[in-house]
Amino acid sequence: KAGVTQTPRYLIKTRGQQVTLSCSPISGHRSVSWYQQTPGQGLQFLFEYFSETQRNKGNFPGRFSGRQFSNSRSEMNVSTLELGDSALYLCASSFEQPPGEQYFGPGTRLTVT
Amino acid sequence: AQSVTQPDIHITVSEGASLELRCNYSYGATPYLFWYVQSPGQGLQLLLKYFSGDTLVQGIKGFEAEFKRSQSSFNLRKPSVHWSDAAEYFCAVGAYNNNDMRFGAGTRLTVKP
């Protein structure tokens, strides 16, 4: 069974731009969570989607948004990028009801210049 | 909300020596506890989890962890460390019906030959 895939793996954007990251969960998994990982703040929960509905949201500004499609694939969008948004963005999928066993993708490394 | 503390930022052990990584959690109800490992440039891989039942749980790669409610701890152990175990280890706590997992700051493990 294929693992969680994230595209692109690396991205360089300029401050003020917007970006969209994509995540394809493991087949059969309906829950997708997003995390931001930085050296200073560590791993922080962004939001979680289940069956196209956002169920939980972390403490991030409204510039961070996401959605989930009927095939469980998910996207997250960051608008008006700031330098501090540079991070590794990780997507995780799970089958069970939370807190289920989460399987992480390799992440998207976003650099904002 | 739940929280996790990993007191050790960096640990160095010799190959073949035993290992214990500490994790303390804070949560008012029954916690759902996880240990993940992250190699450089990679996503997180689940080592083991505790939801209920036997307080000593076995995971992959020869790791085990013991849940001690009285000490609010979930320490990770391995009897004999291999050079390939060098990585960053994260303890996480989840809540029932909520994928807002809280991660510790991580412990970086270095293995000396």
Side-chain angles (χ1 to χ4, degrees):
Chain A
K1 193 182 267 191
V4 178
T5 58
Q6 292 186 245
T7 56
R9 291 293 309 277
Y10 303 92
L11 205 50
I12 299 176
K13 289 287 188 178
T14 302
R15 191 170 46 183
Q17 289 185 314
Q18 76 162 17
V19 67
T20 299
L21 312 181
S22 181
C23 171
S24 292
I26 291 172
S27 177
H29 287 192
R30 293 195 292 165
S31 170
V32 174
S33 300
W34 288 90
Y35 295 85
Q36 181 196 65
Q37 185 178 26
T38 61
Q41 299 298 317
L43 274 156
Q44 294 185 284
F45 172 77
L46 279 156
F47 29 65
E48 185 242 352
Y49 287 86
F50 184 86
S51 293
E52 302 179 65
T53 300
Q54 185 183 91
R55 287 198 298 198
N56 298 294
K57 190 177 192 307
N59 189 26
F60 277 81
R63 299 185 297 107
F64 292 82
S65 63
R67 59 177 176 169
Q68 186 180 35
F69 303 94
S70 58
N71 62 358
S72 293
R73 190 177 70 85
S74 177
E75 290 181 345
M76 68 162 282
N77 184 278
V78 189
S79 62
T80 319
L81 283 166
E82 300 177 0
L83 296 179
D85 297 332
S86 295
L88 180 67
Y89 290 89
L90 293 163
C91 165
S93 75
S94 66
F95 176 74
E96 303 102 331
Q97 288 289 325
E101 184 172 323
Q102 294 192 37
Y103 294 84
F104 282 79
T108 294
R109 172 74 62 186
L110 171 65
T111 302
V112 182
T113 62
Chain B
Q2 64 272 33
S3 66
V4 176
T5 301
Q6 292 180 250
D8 305 305
I9 296 173
H10 186 204
I11 283 183
T12 300
V13 300
S14 298
E15 191 168 14
S18 64
L19 170 70
E20 182 168 26
L21 302 182
R22 296 184 291 165
C23 171
N24 293 98
Y25 69 90
S26 173
Y27 186 56
T30 300
Y32 296 81
L33 297 162
F34 307 82
W35 273 101
Y36 284 88
V37 61
Q38 185 179 35
S39 298
Q42 302 296 314
L44 278 70
Q45 181 183 23
L46 179 68
L47 287 174
L48 46 78
K49 63 185 179 186
Y50 171 79
F51 283 4
S52 64
D54 193 348
T55 56
L56 184 64
V57 293
Q58 303 296 321
I60 62 171
K61 304 185 179 186
F63 285 94
E64 66 177 27
E66 187 171 13
F67 170 60
K68 293 185 177 180
R69 185 185 298 275
S70 61
Q71 298 177 19
S72 298
S73 69
F74 188 56
N75 294 350
L76 181 71
R77 301 193 294 247
K78 186 169 185 177
S80 177
V81 170
H82 187 262
W83 65 265
S84 61
D85 293 325
E88 187 139 22
Y89 292 79
F90 293 91
C91 181
V93 59
Y96 174 73
N97 207 30
N98 188 329
N99 256 345
D100 179 3
M101 290 224 296
R102 300 300 171 96
F103 286 82
T107 298
R108 183 176 303 279
L109 173 65
T110 297
V111 180
K112 292 191 304 185

